[in-house]
Amino acid sequence: MPRLIVESTDTTYKALFTAWELVAAGVMRAAMRVVAHRWPAAPLSMDLPGVTPVGRNRMRWDERATAHAASSDYGFRRFADDRSYLSYAVRFDLARLGAVTGLRGIHLQCHIGTDTVSLARLGARMTGVDFSPVALGEARRLAKLACTDADFIEAEVESAADVAGEGMFDLVYTGNGALNWLPSIHRWAVAVSRLLRPGGRLFLREDHPTLWSLSDEPPDGLLTIEYPYFERPEPTAFDDPDTYVATDAVFTHTASYEWNHGLGEIISAVLDQGLTVTALEEHD
Ligand SMILES: C[S@@+](CC[C@H](N)C(=O)[O-])C[C@H]1O[C@@H](n2cnc3c(N)ncnc32)[C@H](O)[C@@H]1O
């Protein structure tokens, strides 16, 4: 029986913390993360003609990856100093993840590898996937610093199975600010399903889609629904010169293009691929 738990945290960052758990002839799970404020709507990239919204997002992530790796918020130093250190996200989900020892795992949208390395430290044979070569360079550096084995490959989520191998993985782990960068939740679920071996498990730990639909907190504190909750073909454009970690870095790529996917859309996309939902949690 799917479980539903709702919590809500951090008013500064207007963060929601959500966990779902589902299964694919095995299991799928999901959860959350903290998101910094965003500023609405820059127009679609007129300044870089020919660069798609996804291409613009990649430029944004390439630029931020180095600053993220250098920030104490991501804790590279702690991974190096303490061989048992795990990322906050993986620590938070330890009980939900269950035993991963010996599993062949793939981490979609692995960014700079902190969760990938953490899962490897728990005994999974991990491959991280991301479309940002800069993020992957930092992830490889982290694995080396942490003396932890993990592979990292460059691919867009939708073509991950073409690069990493079809039906090869016991565990697909993803989330923590991932789905909102993807135009189609259906194509994401197809990509996940192609990666999983029969009986494999998807663990998704993601920000709540309601969070993405809310306005930034106004002075009167009354939040409103300002952005789409359901998936739309066109992205919502934001102009955000910052990032979500402490850094003095100044960024030139300020545009981001994001797509929301409603909870029902996400679950339906997974079910449509023949996965079985074993659990769903929402918390703040
Ligand atoms: C917020 S990060 C995910 C959180 C990450 N797990 C962490 O450790 O903080 C989003 C990641 O998604 C990647 N990304 C965005 N769109 C992508 C796509 N279409 N294919 C592959 N990676 C993508 C970005 O490069 C970035 O590293």
Side-chain angles (χ1 to χ4, degrees):
M1 180 72 117
R3 286 176 288 144
L4 194 69
I5 301 166
V6 187
E7 296 170 24
S8 141
T9 47
D10 197 316
T11 48
T12 312
Y13 284 107
K14 200 186 69 184
L16 288 180
F17 218 85
T18 305
W20 321 316
E21 304 170 15
L22 325 168
V23 180
V27 189
M28 154 172 177
R29 303 188 168 208
M32 84 103 269
R33 80 170 282 253
V34 176
V35 179
H37 38 250
R38 303 171 296 166
W39 288 265
L44 264 174
S45 45
M46 307 303 287
D47 52 332
L48 292 175
V51 182
T52 62
V54 170
R56 286 298 294 260
N57 287 341
R58 187 196 324 243
M59 294 163 86
R60 181 183 175 84
W61 282 110
D62 272 343
E63 197 182 34
R64 278 157 183 72
T66 312
H68 288 185
S71 168
S72 59
D73 289 351
Y74 264 105
F76 271 30
R77 199 63 258 159
R78 290 192 291 266
F79 279 96
D81 292 345
D82 176 357
R83 296 283 173 88
S84 62
Y85 181 77
L86 302 174
S87 67
Y88 175 76
V90 168
R91 255 181 292 136
F92 180 83
D93 282 325
L94 271 179
R96 297 177 190 85
L97 278 161
V100 299
T101 310
L103 296 187
R104 181 139 189 220
I106 187 161
H107 178 191
L108 295 178
Q109 296 175 257
C110 66
H111 195 42
I112 55 175
T114 46
D115 298 339
T116 326
V117 163
S118 299
L119 290 165
R121 282 187 161 180
L122 293 176
R125 285 185 295 144
M126 290 303 299
T127 300
V129 175
D130 204 282
F131 73 175
S132 162
V134 181
L136 293 170
E138 295 294 351
R140 289 185 191 106
R141 190 169 69 81
L142 172 67
K144 203 166 172 191
L145 268 175
C147 302
T148 305
D149 284 337
D151 297 324
F152 294 95
I153 55 181
E154 185 178 327
E156 291 223 6
V157 166
E158 291 183 14
S159 52
D162 299 331
V163 183
E166 191 126 3
M168 304 280 284
F169 295 94
D170 304 299
L171 172 70
V172 173
Y173 176 91
T174 191
N176 301 309
L179 297 186
N180 55 301
W181 301 100
L182 305 178
S184 162
I185 202 66
H186 166 73
R187 295 200 300 270
W188 165 80
V190 170
V192 167
S193 150
R194 286 181 64 204
L195 288 162
L196 286 170
R197 68 161 177 75
R201 173 163 59 118
L202 167 63
F203 188 103
L204 171 62
R205 176 183 195 270
E206 192 51 285
D207 304 320
H208 199 286
T210 302
L211 168 68
W212 298 121
S213 71
L214 293 177
S215 61
D216 285 315
E217 195 165 341
D220 65 4
L222 194 63
L223 292 172
T224 55
I225 301 288
E226 188 170 342
Y227 305 109
Y229 174 80
F230 295 111
E231 183 177 302
R232 297 271 181 271
E234 291 304 320
T236 303
F238 295 96
D239 187 13
D240 177 359
D242 294 329
T243 189
Y244 52 82
V245 300
T247 177
D248 294 330
V250 176
F251 302 113
T252 54
H253 293 294
T254 63
S256 77
Y257 299 95
E258 301 177 40
W259 293 263
N260 205 359
H261 315 284
L263 201 53
E265 292 175 325
I266 298 166
I267 291 167
S268 296
V270 167
L271 292 174
D272 286 348
Q273 295 309 307
L275 279 77
T276 305
V277 176
T278 56
L280 165 68
E281 294 187 23
E282 293 183 275
H283 35 145
D284 62 359

